[in-house]
Amino acid sequence: MNTIIIAGVGGQGVLTASDLLSDVLLDAGYSVKKSEVHGMSQRGGDVIATIKYGDEVFSPLPAIKNTDYIIAFEKLEGLRNINFLKDGGAMIVNDFVWEPLPVASGAVEYPEDVEDNLRKYSSDLTLIPATDIATELGNIRTTNVLLVGVLASKMDIDKEIWINVIKRKVPPKSIDLNLTAFEKGYCFKT
Amino acid sequence: MKRELLSGNEAIARGAYEAGITFASAYPGTPSTEILENVVRYKEDIHCQWGSNEKTAFEEAMGATFTGARVLVAMKHVGLNVAADPLFSSSYLGAEGGFIIVSADDPGMHSSQNEQDNRNYAIAAKIPVLEPSDSQEAKDFVVEGIKISEKFNTPVMLRSSTRVSHSRSAVETGERETPPEIHYEKDFQKTMLLPVIARKKHIIVEERQKKIKEFSDTFKYNYIVEGKTRIGIIASGIAFQNGREVFKDDWFLKVAMPYPFPEELYKKFAEKVDKIYVLEENDPIMENFARLITPDKEIIGKDFFPLTGEMTEDVILETLGKKDLTPEFDINSIPKRPPSLCPGCPHTATFHNLNLQKVTVTGDIGCYTLGGLPPLNAMDTTIDMGASITAMLGMEKSMEKAGKKLKQAAVIGDSTFFHSGITGLLDLIYNGSKGTVIILDNSITAMTGHQDNPGTGKTLMGDDAPVVDILKLVKDGLGIEHSFEIDGYDVKGIRALLREELKREKLSVIVVKRVCALLFKKPNWSPTIVDPEKCIKCNLCLKLGCPAITSKDDKAFIVSSLCTGCSVCIQVCPHDAMHHSDEDGMHIKDTSLVDFFKGGK
Ligand code: SF4
Ligand code: SF4
């Protein structure tokens, strides 16, 4: 049984990415359970979705130090969830800063050592400027598919499955753009 | 048969369809909201509607049961407090066509003011309760619940929880059962709860409970999972799934119906084991039944596991001393990311003014509760839905009696006002309040994800509805002379009006009207910008808490991709440092109340 966490800020497309991911895992033949956080988090708070998969899954919730992959759409959100990561688990972080309100309003500082801590507490860290690359590609909304691409390159699931699910899930107009974004993530080298 | 990954709430909706339900009602509330939003997919077969509150929704469902319909009513746990009156009556009245009451509890309080365990209500009202542990069960238990309801002529509670409602797992869907024929013949012995009738009904209820108790022993969803040890686990709901991650070789008594508790089945289970752990979220309900049945057995329950919060795998392991949860990295050392009012939120200017004028604000429940957090800090109390108005009256009268006075206002949203603010306002009129009631009318139930209400002009099924005009209601209807309407973006206007009304020795109502900023479809607003030459970094705009405003190089700075051009900060800046980047561009403030894109659900 394996666990994936997707973390980010409300509005960044965390839930869309987690839907895509659970479809891929289902198509790959796994049992899948997914949990989401709703409610207050939709007003710019932090959001996390957890996907568990394997032959048989019971709890849909993550456990501390028992998560195989974490994708973070924002650096601070990566760090916020780092205690869930297994020893040797993979951490994929968007090199992107979205200041939380207490930082933006000047009450506290955005910590300078986020990256150091990410490195310190994860042995397999991929830091990728996904938002920048997606913006260059022409649509910032493809950030999530790009990050999913990085995850795909680390998982042992046939690439065709990923591509088929993307084709099925995204609006027809933006299939090509999303596939390009996926490929960018899939081939990313630090 | 089809297999789909459904959320618990989607599965409950699917269950309503398959069970042959023809009437469903609810008042939105996290984590229950999506149930009715999904039932509406079957609106050809199921009439569905939002009530103004949980009590009205519940009673409407009861009305439908009088016509023989199979019905479902859904609400969050605290919503059942509002509907507790009809709940108790419904137990006596029974349900010919099958009646499911969904209570979505919130262990861990992800978005609620308390952590009450609504299985207690089922026990108090003497109705059976079913607790699904995943989406498949959520769907099946609606179908099974309807059968139980019809067999024993009782409403059935379905207790979901945040984790069941908001997690997705595979569901095998089936066909819809044929609903019973709708009919009505007058028989007041059946439908009127006069004392003389209710006395007879109570006897029937007690007899019924005995029969359901026997049924619980044979109910196929209460079952024993054989183990290899002498340790047994009693578990229900999501705690069952979490527990199976931990106790891999032990016996399980999986309980779908914690009340009436399957006594004989439990006895069989108890014989097989020497030590029993009880895994249930919130209160020790099954534990107490088990203790009564086998007083000499070693039962480990809430004296050991926490009464508060969720019963996750980690909590179980830590309580057992099998896992150390001391974090490697201290996440309290990094800034939190609290939710906040949106950029362009129509409530910001009101809270900004309330804060500046140092008003004591009795608050209410909605997005605007966030106005109580820093930097707006403009709320003193929240109790429950509608309490802003009534709590203000209590404070006012108590102070008055002592010869003292507070500068006070009550703040309530449109949906909450319809829910249970109107009755409180009657109390204010009747008892001669001199307070100020501020009704934040954003023309939607925003917090729970934008549901329609009596002020929006649309029903849940997408039909047009009359729009209740709040100003007319309070001024012409209730006769409150000093009733006003003002634009939510008019910072100075709100300031002046507040100053005036807070001074006035008479009751006044201010309807702050402006559509929720999120109701516009993919906006391309032209943003406000800061002139760094003029900005002296007084930080006044930062105190608005608008997520678009931050600082850069020691000057205020607006993140243009987030800004809606609402102009609130422009009006707040005393140094004229802010202006629209494009005066002729699209600004949210220039939209009228009619031409916004609504709902679309
Ligand atoms: S959803 Fe609407 S009402 Fe709620 S905070 Fe955002 S703009 Fe304000
Ligand atoms: S105009 Fe000012 S207050 Fe309004 S959304 Fe833009 S930055 Fe925020």
Side-chain angles (χ1 to χ4, degrees), chain A residues 97-173:
Chain A
V97 169
W98 184 332
E99 294 185 350
L101 201 63
V103 173
S105 68
V108 290
E109 301 266 318
Y110 194 95
E112 276 175 10
D113 54 358
V114 174
E115 220 173 294
D116 294 343
N117 277 320
L118 284 170
R119 253 176 240 295
K120 184 169 164 199
Y121 295 102
S122 54
S123 53
D124 179 3
L125 173 73
T126 310
L127 201 61
I128 170 173
T131 302
D132 294 344
I133 304 176
T135 312
E136 266 169 45
L137 287 178
N139 193 342
I140 191 169
R141 285 171 177 275
T142 56
T143 307
N144 51 10
V145 174
L146 214 144
L147 288 163
V148 166
V150 182
L151 175 71
S153 73
K154 292 180 175 287
M155 286 175 73
D156 197 15
I157 292 177
D158 199 2
K159 195 171 168 190
E160 275 310 297
I161 297 182
W162 296 88
I163 291 174
N164 287 335
V165 171
I166 293 173
K167 284 185 181 158
R168 200 165 71 216
K169 292 289 260 194
V170 307
K173 295 200 298 252

Side-chain angles (χ1 to χ4, degrees), chain A residues 34 43 59 64 77 83, chain B residues 168 242 314 323 337 340:
Chain A
K34 180 175 120 157
R43 301 287 169 271
S59 170
I64 299 289
E77 297 317 310
N83 292 319
Chain B
R168 288 174 183 275
N242 298 341
D314 277 343
K323 187 167 177 179
R337 194 181 292 274
S340 59

